[in-house]
Amino acid sequence: MRNSRNILRFAFVLIIVAIIGNVAMYLMGNSAFNIAELKIKKSINVEQATGISILADSGTVNIVPVKGDEIQATLQGETTKKWIKDYHLNVKEVKGEINIEITQDSRLRLFDLYTNLQLTVGIPAAKMSQLQVKTDTANIKVDSVHVTEYRLSSDTGDIDVNVTDGLFDIKSDTGDVALALEQIKYEISVVTDTGDISIEAVQEPEALRTKLEADSGKINVTFPHYKDGYIGIGGPMVKLISDTGDINMGNKK
Amino acid sequence: MNKDLYLSELYKYLKRLPPDERDEIMTDYAEHFEQAELNGRSEKEVIQRLGSPRLVAREVLAQTQIKKAGKSPSLSSVTRAVMATVSLGLFNLIVVLLPFVASLLLFVGVYGVAFFLIISPILLFIQNPLVSIFINEFFLMVGCVGIGLMLVIGSMKMTSVYYKFVIRYLRYNLSLIGRI
């Protein structure tokens, strides 16, 4: 009883010392609570490249269209001051493929009070053959770019795609996947564990084949003329599989 | 089954108890039979009313374990009391064992966080062997250790309250089973 009172007193003193010390260090700009802005911008010529591969662990990955003939990658956001030099943005071309990767010097990071980073990759209007993005927790947003084949995967991040059309191979563990397309022209494959899957298209498909599987989730298809997994005869194959997530397919409103 | 066979079976099932406790319980049950006989009830009636010796023994063992846990509450004594109560019926797996395991995991989590906070200076030094960074985060670590110590003391107090709550719940459960 007495011991625990002494320990409590000691703990209380430590907390008071910590508060005073941290306030002083914060005012000096050196505490663990000091946040700094990070902005790294890199670009690479796209003339010889046919595909892009993006690797990011956390934050958000935005894919947007840009003018010109250069791929522009910008890593920006905020992080605690001591980690500011820890981040690197690597952009290089390897055998016709542009590799963009966020790397960190420190492998072991136990104390990171605040980090919010966003990688924005601008892709020129010239159509590329393949876009590959792989993340751990980062969300992936692809907006209005022209790529023939999209290979997107994330462990826990959401995947949002808003493009005209394309061939899609998407994998997610817990993140939701939402595709908003102009038309379903090529094959689409989306596999999630718990994430919901939503596919919307402006143009009503004339022909479509589907393989929809949801173990405990609900499946809802609102395309007109959809019957027994088909619309018309032939058409692209849409394979949507989720363990516990819901699956929705229908016209874009 | 007659009285002697009933009592000998009960004796067999109570072997886990210390001899003096077991003898005391056996005397109680023998007296119960004698009292019933004096009141004009047959051995068969008494046996029917008491239930099978195995079930009676399980109830007695559960009561004993709960009593022991009440006297000196600790993780092992409370766990033994919980397991003895669970053995009374399948239903107790859900209403006793599951909440006990879940709450125990919660406590393990809180103690784990406290431990992590207390050893945070060591972890920080492993993360950043550079003295300059260590100095910048020194006060954060001091705070972490302080909060960790408070959490340990708070958790220890909560644990003893929790043990008392579990024992009361087990007693309630036992009384409920007795009524059924």
Side-chain angles (χ1 to χ4, degrees), chain B residues 143-174:
Chain B
C144 285
V145 173
I147 293 167
L149 288 173
M150 274 196 169
L151 210 57
V152 166
I153 300 294
S155 302
M156 280 163 77
K157 286 208 190 304
M158 278 300 292
T159 307
S160 62
V161 173
Y162 168 72
Y163 286 157
K164 279 177 193 159
F165 173 78
V166 172
I167 291 159
R168 277 180 71 178
Y169 180 65
L170 292 180
R171 277 189 192 132
Y172 171 73
N173 180 277
L174 214 60

Side-chain angles (χ1 to χ4, degrees), chain A residues 1 4 7-8 10-12 14-15 17-18 21-22 25 30-33 82-83 108-111 113, chain B residues 116 120-121 123-124 126-128 133 135-137 139-147 149-150 153 157:
Chain A
M1 194 70 179
S4 63
I7 292 171
L8 272 179
F10 178 59
F12 188 70
L14 287 182
I15 290 169
V17 169
N22 274 306
M25 293 294 272
N30 280 326
S31 85
F33 298 93
K82 75 164 187 175
W83 293 120
L108 183 72
R109 188 178 286 198
L110 298 162
F111 303 96
L113 296 183
Chain B
F116 175 81
S120 58
L123 297 174
L124 178 72
I126 294 168
Q127 181 186 279
N128 299 111
I133 292 173
I135 288 167
N136 284 350
E137 304 224 335
F139 289 108
L140 178 68
M141 294 304 107
V142 168
C144 285
V145 173
I147 293 167
L149 288 173
M150 274 196 169
I153 300 294
K157 286 208 190 304

Side-chain angles (χ1 to χ4, degrees), chain A residues 119-143:
Chain A
L119 173 66
T120 305
V121 179
I123 300 177
K127 195 158 183 168
M128 305 202 71
S129 65
Q130 193 184 75
L131 170 67
Q132 190 172 338
V133 185
K134 201 173 179 187
T135 71
D136 285 341
T137 59
N139 297 327
I140 301 170
K141 288 180 184 173
V142 183
D143 196 17

Side-chain angles (χ1 to χ4, degrees), chain A residues 162-165 180-184 200-204 252:
Chain A
N162 188 357
V163 296
T164 313
D165 56 50
L181 310 171
E182 192 64 31
Q183 58 179 329
I184 299 174
E200 289 182 334
V202 176
Q203 288 179 29
E204 181 190 315
K252 194 176 171 185

Side-chain angles (χ1 to χ4, degrees), chain B residues 6-25:
Chain B
Y6 187 92
L7 289 175
S8 72
E9 264 195 45
L10 183 62
Y11 186 83
K12 192 178 78 186
Y13 288 125
L14 292 175
K15 261 187 178 167
R16 267 189 283 166
L17 286 178
D20 51 337
E21 276 181 44
R22 189 174 54 204
D23 291 345
E24 198 182 319
I25 289 160

